[in-house]
Amino acid sequence: MAPFTVRAYRTWEENQRRLRFEDYMQRPGEDAPPQLKPHVEKELFEADNSPEDMDDAFGRMMAHKAHWGIPTPEGSVKLLDEARAEAQRWAHLMPGAPPRSAKDKLAPLGQTAQSWVSLGPTDARFQFNGTRYLQVDSGRISGIAVHPREQNIAYLSTTGGGVWKTFDLFSPDPVWHPVTELIGNLAVGMMEMDPTAPDTLYIGLGDFASDALPGGQLLKTTDGGGIWSAPMVLTGTYPPGSGGVTHSALRVRAIKVDPNAPNIVLVGTEVGLFRSTNAGASFQLVDLPNLGTQTPDAIWTIAYTGQVGGVSRWALSGTGFASPTSVPPTASSPVQGDVWVSTDAGQSWSSRLSANGLPDNDPTASTIADVSRLSIAAGTPPEDPTRTVLYGFATRRTVTTAGGGIWRSLDAGNTWTDVTGNGRPRTWTYLSSSSSACPTVNVHDAQAWYNSTIAVDPGDDNRVILGGTYCGLRTLNGLNGQPTWELVSHWLPTSTNNATTDDGVLPYVHADWHRSLVIRTGTGYMVLVGGDGGLFTSTNVFRPGPVNQDTVQWRYPNRGLVTHLMYNIASGDPATGNQFIAMSGLQDNGTRFRDTDGAPTTFNQVIGGDGIGVAVSRVGEDSMYWGTVQNSSTRWCDPDTAGNDGCNQGVGSTWTPLLPPFGAAAGGCDGDGMTFLSKVIAVRSGNRPAAITGTVAGVFRLVGTPTSSDSRQWQHLGACDIVNGVRALGAAAKVDGLYGVAATGGRFRIMSGCTLDTPAASCTWTVTNRMGVDLNGNGTIDLAESPQNTSSVDFPGNHTGITPGNVFVGSSVTSVVPAGTGRVYRTTDRGQTWQNITGNLPDVPVNVVRYDLSDDTNQTLFAGTHLGVYRTTNGGATWERYGVGLPLVRVTDMFVGLTGGLLRISTFGRGMWEIYPSATAERGVAGNGDYDRNGQLDFVDLLSTANRLGTTPATESRPFYDWNQDVVGTANTVDEADLTQLLNRYGGRP
């Protein structure tokens, strides 16, 4: 199907999803469905030499709300309260302080076995998205600030990795340092520097796009990120004064510090404009002439337009109020935008657009009064601030798929003119006719509500840079009656992916632009752009003449920025000899595979789009790798056919899509389809590599290597009655055919005895009761007694004396749980009754819980929370924070090796980390020497013990001490006596 046909289909489809989601949001006590887009046949997104399924910001936002629940101010405040308490309680385990100057050095992590080691990604040898190209991306940027006097000092805020600082911005590869590791919520929506005191920065928590953690608080540092203030909650009444309704922010979109009175701070949120007159100590909601309602208007951007007598003037853009459950505007529910101006330092404002809607000569096109989101940027204010130039990058009010043009004001925002230029329908004659991306000035493409940024050169009001989804634009004559707009970047920098113009191939900047900044330097200027792929800079983007990758260069200073938003993790296991293998699915940065030929923190992108689920399965010498693309497909790679390098070389045919069968006639379920957050996990038991994946209505299993593109090679396991999609999957590590599903409504589904050789049709599921505590004693667990948003399920490693499937643990990511309940539960009767084992865990969501497979008593578990990793060694009675140096970060997934010797986690904003559990504690009891846990003392066990001779829990280099190889004696040391004992028992059972 042609790309434009696909796009039209998805535009219609998006409206259908919105209607369905709005309906589900009205159903109390139910998780919203992950199926926010019906199944799209493979032909819609699969073609040779074409990009992977493109970013779907709306689907991702809805899927996040469905999985993690509707955010609340109460839950957001609770997270930060718990973070401060945990940082104090476990101060000895926290990351070290950030450097104060370029001469300072951070204390390196990973120097002992007790320390977490960051695996990155810090670099990439290549990226693959329909074609291979050589770039390095990092996670989504939400704010950029550069020191006005020491311009090598710069800061980036990110939507999951917090704030990062460099002391060498102008070097080819700046060194970046995280400076917000302990604040508890690393989803920063915006950051701003005090222009009069550059060591003072403000950050607003809560990413505006709603797919990262909510926030609604402002934090401040006065020493360049060394120490951060306690959070100030952004809440107020509207209309201001008595009788107003209380509104609390969850998303911060804009911050400005008054350059003439730095105690005045303006903060734009989704519930209005907050103003502080005491440098952020307190805030009040400001009364804006609103759009015909008694609710505040949501703010997008703030621009400084000058001063008179030391009193600052401002322009402000925003839209109608949006609640936490709202979705982007549709034709049936439009959201009106507006511009306000203030001449008294933000105390009072007047509306310019809704009051003075401007005419347009083309009645079929948008007018300025038809604007929804409007991103505005000001030139350098002249002596007469009424003549300050403003530019606006507009979104249409009634749709989200089209932009509303580019607009200009020559009088500080009071009146506006359409300067989109290039004629209507704004078709690029500049582009080759075959191009299917960025063919018009509407570079918002299909995500105008999501991608939008604009900046003006402070030294020349004629020069403007702006961007949306796939491409960036510039003008060199912005003050002309109708400026000329030219493309200056493309999201895929190759001729095979429509980046070719009449002047050549456009240079690369990652798709989805969110922030832009132009600074004046000693030698000219620098343009900085932040988006879903990190930071991109240029010092010649305003160079006159033709634009291509030879005449305009963009730099990507992302090496070392470990800010990737990871959904899941897959790993090789030390027990099977492929520990180096590591994979993860990343938001808009594809599926990353650890480079088998490069540095240990180099991960190459082998699949494009939003990478979600990943899996590695190995049995003997036979391996299989899997990865899923958002709302799209499950892909596989057989390293034994292509070679490990083949799965890690970015070759289009290497990772092959193979969808499960949809429809009863094909052996699946009618009405079924892929979920956005599509899960796939390895089956680590049985005699062949296998994996299971979840869909909207069922669970499917793939055994061995597929032999064709026939979807029926996926075995459908059981009935078609999973409600609203699979939230998480579990598979026992040592029992063949034992699987679990975290479903909706606080329930789980458990299957046992469904071995790899069992006919799938005979596999049946048991549905558990709702997880929770029967507080009212009526014999059942009601909605108010249960954490609804189930997030993981896992089985113990030792099943001696246990009927497989009877015992397992589950967890929940419910933001605020009912009083008297918890977030981690265990059952011993297949989910008929539950035991709350949350214990003293911090009162925050638990994304994943895993058994330590080396503990034969089943008492050791790890919990991945919104604040890091915790461990219990007494079955959940008490928990302790685990390991040294891990930030207070949102853990999304966890891998525990069969030997208990390796623990790896994925995080939503701080990449991948690992630690070595069996090396971090004294043995307690004698080990049995069976390193690979295969029930036989063999050469692998001898080699493992020999490699560790002389190691103790204090060993600071690999191979670390492993208590399981400490077989005899009283000292905590692997020594000759242990090796001798193993030799004497060689060939026997442990």
Side-chain angles (χ1 to χ4, degrees), residues 20 26 60 70 116 153 156 188 193 204 282 289 307 310 329 394 418 491 512 518 743 747 750 772 902 905 914:
R20 288 200 302 278
Q26 305 304 315
R60 183 171 61 248
I70 301 300
W116 285 96
I153 298 177
L156 299 176
V188 180
M193 178 182 287
S282 61
Q307 58 83 30
D418 185 346
W491 69 304
D512 304 332
V518 184
R747 292 181 171 87
I750 304 300
L902 177 64
I905 61 171
E914 72 178 14

Side-chain angles (χ1 to χ4, degrees), residues 31 66-69 727-728 742-748 770-772 783 785-794 809-818 821-826 834 836-838 841-849 863-866 891:
D31 298 337
H67 184 78
W68 279 280
R727 299 177 59 85
T744 55
R747 292 181 171 87
F748 295 82
R770 186 177 283 120
M771 181 176 69
L783 283 173
E785 301 170 317
S786 171
Q788 292 296 292
N789 292 71
T790 55
S791 55
S792 74
V793 56
D794 196 45
V809 292
S811 65
S812 166
V813 289
T814 302
S815 177
V816 178
V817 296
T821 63
R823 302 173 186 275
V824 182
Y825 285 80
R826 177 175 56 208
W834 296 90
N836 180 6
I837 60 170
T838 308
L841 278 173
D843 190 11
V844 298
V846 178
N847 286 296
V848 57
V849 59
T865 76
H866 272 19
V891 177

Side-chain angles (χ1 to χ4, degrees), residues 731-732 735 738-740 750-752 768 793-810 825-835 837 851 857-859 861 875:
V735 176
L738 176 54
Y739 312 130
I750 304 300
M751 174 185 290
S752 58
T768 72
V793 56
D794 196 45
F795 302 95
N798 181 17
H799 291 267
T800 302
I802 299 173
T803 300
N806 280 5
V807 178
F808 58 93
V809 292
Y825 285 80
R826 177 175 56 208
T827 180
T828 58
D829 56 9
R830 215 176 188 85
Q832 299 310 298
T833 59
W834 296 90
Q835 175 191 2
I837 60 170
Y851 276 97
T857 67
N858 298 331
Q859 295 296 297
L861 297 97

Side-chain angles (χ1 to χ4, degrees), residues 212-228:
L213 282 176
Q217 302 87 24
L218 199 78
L219 282 74
K220 175 183 178 181
T221 179
T222 58
D223 62 355
I227 299 174
W228 293 89

